[in-house]
Amino acid sequence: MALMRAIGLMSGTSMDGIDLAEVTTDGDGTVERGQSFAVPYEAAFRRRLEAALDTAGSIEARSDRPGDLAELEREITIRHADAVEAFLKASGIPREEVGVVGFHGQTVLHRPRLGLTVQLGCGQLLADRLGIPVVYDMRANDMAQGGQGAPLVPAYHRALASSLTGAHAAARPVAFVNIGGISNISYVGGDGTLIAFDCGPGNTLIDQWVSRHAGIPYDSGGAIASEGRVLHGLAMRYLGLPFFTAKERMSLDRNDFVLPEDGAAGLEDGARTLAFVTAAAIAHAQQHLPEKPKLWVLCGGGRLNQAIVADLNVATRHTGAVVLAEEVGLNGDSMEAEAWGWLAVRSLKGLPLTYPGTTGVAEPVTGGVLRTPRTEEGGPAGEA
């Protein structure tokens, strides 16, 4: 297959900003990872996104945009366009060499039991402003075919697993763990078996906890948690929830877990306990795998929380090694953005994005919606 240069865009459940990454790929086993970039959201805009989660709770159809969600969707799209422009300028990537942009948008509602997922972001507006084709809305077809619409990155993780070199090249099974707002795992077996599912809360509870009690967006490096102790009673209230005791794995929404009530813990103990819950939820995922991983590759912002990593090392000490993505030559910050560029190319070629072992769909299915820049006949560029 011919190679295509793509830019992937990701704004995840942590709602901390836009990650951008360049990949050159055939949408299959050939992946040449390029430059990456990040544009953080300011605190006021993050608060608007968080408020949008409440507004989105009334959505009954994917096209619904109650309240100010339509206005917010346009702003999110323009911010992504501006981020791409900044990336092109900083990286020196010629616009005409970019074949496609993979656009995730901002998830504000994900209800797999209802077959409903909503990502704010207008693919046509983005294509018009950039003058580059855009593939977006990559979860919808999976859900229309009976899948949960998440996670979508595992197929990319499998492609990366085949590129590992050195001491870790032959380590199988390997588990890629993305610790974003929600944690998810991608299991790649020695025979290429691919299994993936959400593990539980990643950073979302920790971020909300320190924001409420310390007025800061996240616990940098786990510094606050390092001053606390694990409150096992509180931890068990989370780990005893039906999500963890059920045999069926369900994809999660940021709002599926609620903060401890005020007074349940002090700042440091709360941060430490919630970090423990994140690590315990990841380790618990082994119960749903055919074999215990010999290698755990951590990516996403949570890999930098030393309390989470330390607890996961303890929980998996009898099975496999825990390493950060950078230790195996990968980029733990840009991996999801890379995946969205890779998935966009894969979508253009009609290749599967999801599988029975990743989203529960009956058979492998492709997905995504292509939008090309409009000519003057199609409408003036920049309209939503």
Side-chain angles (χ1 to χ4, degrees):
M1 290 186 183
L3 299 182
M4 179 178 288
R5 201 171 193 177
I7 292 176
L9 310 177
M10 169 57 67
S11 177
T13 51
S14 292
M15 296 184 169
D16 53 358
I18 304 167
D19 291 321
L20 306 91
E22 166 205 6
V23 293
T24 301
T25 181
D26 60 357
D28 198 17
T30 301
V31 181
E32 298 173 10
R33 298 167 42 250
Q35 300 180 70
S36 60
F37 197 68
V39 177
Y41 288 146
E42 66 275 17
F45 190 68
R46 289 187 64 181
R47 288 193 293 270
R48 285 183 63 192
L49 293 178
E50 290 169 355
L53 301 180
D54 293 331
T55 305
S58 63
I59 290 177
E60 296 182 354
R62 295 187 64 249
S63 59
D64 291 350
R65 296 294 184 268
D68 66 347
L69 291 191
E71 178 185 347
L72 183 61
E73 181 167 50
R74 181 177 175 84
E75 182 171 347
I76 286 170
T77 306
I78 292 171
R79 282 173 175 260
H80 277 74
D82 291 344
V84 173
E85 296 290 356
F87 182 37
L88 292 175
K89 182 177 180 179
S91 65
I93 299 170
R95 185 186 308 268
E96 62 272 15
E97 292 186 7
V98 180
V100 68
V101 170
F103 180 27
H104 180 271
Q106 182 65 60
T107 298
V108 292
L109 185 72
H110 187 69
R111 288 287 178 259
R113 294 186 187 278
L114 301 176
L116 181 61
T117 187
V118 178
Q119 286 75 44
L120 295 184
C122 177
Q124 186 65 64
L125 176 59
L126 185 63
D128 290 345
R129 292 184 74 96
L130 294 176
I132 302 171
V134 170
V135 172
Y136 77 122
D137 206 13
M138 293 194 221
R139 301 186 188 276
N141 190 49
D142 177 84
M143 298 191 88
Q145 302 300 321
Q148 296 185 39
L152 259 67
V153 180
Y156 181 63
H157 287 154
R158 182 165 60 184
L160 290 181
S162 64
S163 71
L164 295 179
T165 60
H168 300 300
R172 294 291 186 279
V174 57
F176 288 81
V177 182
N178 179 60
I179 312 175
I182 297 296
S183 292
N184 53 65
I185 185 171
S186 301
Y187 168 98
V188 182
D191 60 355
T193 297
L194 184 61
I195 299 172
F197 48 84
D198 286 347
C199 304
N203 302 315
T204 183
L205 290 176
I206 303 169
D207 291 351
Q208 292 177 67
W209 181 260
V210 299
S211 176
R212 174 180 292 183
H213 294 280
I216 56 178
Y218 60 93
D219 183 9
S220 179
I224 296 173
S226 71
E227 300 294 326
R229 61 189 178 90
V230 176
L231 303 179
H232 289 281
L234 178 59
M236 291 306 109
R237 281 164 51 189
Y238 283 102
L239 298 173
L241 291 171
F243 173 79
F244 297 108
T245 57
K247 292 183 179 180
E248 182 185 9
R249 297 294 83 202
M250 292 298 296
S251 59
L252 293 165
D253 183 78
R254 174 187 168 103
N255 288 334
D256 284 336
F257 299 97
V258 298
L259 277 181
E261 60 274 14
D262 290 342
L267 170 64
E268 295 84 359
D269 289 350
R272 181 69 187 87
T273 302
L274 294 172
F276 175 85
V277 168
T278 294
I282 295 167
H284 182 268
Q286 295 178 102
Q287 298 184 25
H288 302 280
L289 300 174
E291 295 181 59
K292 292 184 177 180
K294 293 182 180 178
L295 178 67
W296 299 77
V297 180
L298 305 187
C299 49
R303 79 191 191 287
L304 303 177
N305 186 312
Q306 295 183 26
I308 295 174
V309 176
D311 285 341
L312 187 58
N313 267 298
V314 171
T316 62
R317 63 188 180 280
H318 299 304
T319 56
V322 176
V323 300
L324 303 188
E326 289 72 14
E327 295 177 61
V328 292
L330 302 174
N331 187 326
D333 287 324
S334 66
M335 197 178 295
E336 282 196 297
E338 292 169 16
W340 237 252
W342 183 84
L343 288 166
V345 175
R346 198 166 175 83
S347 173
L348 290 178
K349 298 185 176 184
L351 297 172
L353 307 188
T354 57
Y355 298 83
T358 61
T359 66
V361 71
E363 58 185 26
V365 296
T366 189
V369 176
L370 172 64
R371 291 286 184 259
T372 56
R374 289 180 290 194
T375 63
E376 290 185 5
E377 291 78 13
E383 285 189 352

